[in-house]
C-alpha cells in the first residue's frame, strides 16, 4: 500500500473521547460514530476551522496492541469555549505517513489499518488521525519518526 510523507504543524481539536483498544475497537468505534451523528455533536463544537470530521488516536499506552484515546471531532481555531462532555486534544506538529483510502469504505479503511499495523513504518505512536475527505474517501495520517 502506497503512502506519501507529509509534515503538519500542531493544531487543536474539540471532540468526544473514549479510551479503547484494538480488541474492542470494532464495537466501540461504530458506537461512538453513531452517537456523534445522532446527537448532532458536530453542530455543538464551537470555533470549527471547517466542517471536516476527524478521528484521532492519541495517548497510546504503548504500540498498536495497547489502549489509546479515540476522539471524534474537528479542528478548531480556539479552545476557549469547550462544551460539557467534550474534550480538547492537542495534536503536535509532526512528520506523517499519509494513506489516501478511497472507495469500499469502511472495508478499505480496515484493510489500510491492518497494513499499517504489520508494516515496517517507524511509528511514533504520538498522534495518528483520519480525515473524512468525502463520502468515499478518508485520509489516514500516521505519526512517524
Amino acid at each position: 500500500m502506497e503512502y506519501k510523507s507529509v509534515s503538519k504543524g500542531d493544531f487543536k481539536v474539540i471532540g468526544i473521547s473514549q479510551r479503547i483498544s484494538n480488541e474492542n475497537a470494532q464495537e466501540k468505534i461504530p458506537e461512538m460514530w453513531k452517537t456523534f451523528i445522532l446527537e448532532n455533536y458536530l453542530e455543538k463544537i464551537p470555533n470549527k476551522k471547517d466542517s471536516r470530521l476527524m478521528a484521532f488516536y492519541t495517548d497510546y499506552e504503548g504500540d498498536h496492541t495497547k489502549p489509546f484515546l479515540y476522539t471524534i471531532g474537528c479542528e478548531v481555531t480556539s479552545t476557549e469555549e469547550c462544551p460539557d462532555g467534550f474534550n480538547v486534544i492537542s495534536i503536535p506538529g509532526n512528520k506523517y505517513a499519509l494513506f489516501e483510502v478511497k472507495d469500499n469504505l469502511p472495508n478499505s479503511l480496515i484493510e489500510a489499518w491492518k497494513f499499517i499495523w504489520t508494516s515496517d513504518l517507524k511509528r511514533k505512536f504520538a498522534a495518528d488521525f483520519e480525515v473524512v475527505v468525502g463520502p468515499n474517501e478518508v485520509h489516514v495520517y500516521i505519526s512517524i519518526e
Side-chain angles (χ1 to χ4, degrees):
M1 180 170 264
E2 293 184 25
Y3 64 89
K4 300 175 187 174
S5 185
V6 299
S7 292
K8 292 188 74 64
D10 51 327
F11 60 97
K12 303 274 189 198
V13 172
I14 292 179
I16 60 168
S17 302
Q18 185 174 21
R19 183 150 293 281
I20 64 174
S21 69
N22 282 336
E23 291 174 356
N24 63 15
Q26 288 187 343
E27 173 189 330
K28 298 287 185 185
I29 289 175
E31 286 175 7
M32 285 182 68
W33 277 100
K34 183 178 178 181
T35 300
F36 191 89
I37 291 166
L38 290 177
E39 299 293 327
N40 206 19
Y41 282 132
L42 181 63
E43 296 304 315
K44 298 173 184 177
I45 297 174
N47 306 310
K48 289 183 282 292
K49 181 178 175 187
D50 55 42
S51 60
R52 291 184 306 163
L53 285 173
M54 303 171 87
F56 299 86
Y57 304 77
T58 59
D59 299 328
Y60 286 94
E61 291 180 17
D63 65 12
H64 69 279
T65 65
K66 304 294 183 198
F68 53 88
L69 188 68
Y70 183 77
T71 302
I72 301 171
C74 59
E75 186 175 350
V76 295
T77 57
S78 170
T79 58
E80 289 182 22
E81 306 167 49
C82 182
D84 288 343
F86 287 80
N87 293 322
V88 173
I89 305 291
S90 296
I91 305 300
N94 200 54
K95 183 177 171 184
Y96 293 91
L98 166 59
F99 295 84
E100 296 177 356
V101 181
K102 300 176 183 179
D103 302 320
N104 195 27
L105 295 171
N107 294 338
S108 57
L109 184 59
I110 293 166
E111 290 304 313
W113 276 106
K114 286 179 182 177
F115 173 83
I116 292 163
W117 295 331
T118 60
S119 75
D120 60 357
L121 281 174
K122 293 187 179 174
R123 295 182 63 187
K124 286 180 78 173
F125 295 99
D128 303 320
F129 59 96
E130 302 166 349
V131 179
V132 178
V133 178
N136 294 312
E137 186 170 356
V138 174
H139 289 178
V140 180
Y141 291 81
I142 304 298
S143 60
I144 55 175
E145 295 179 15

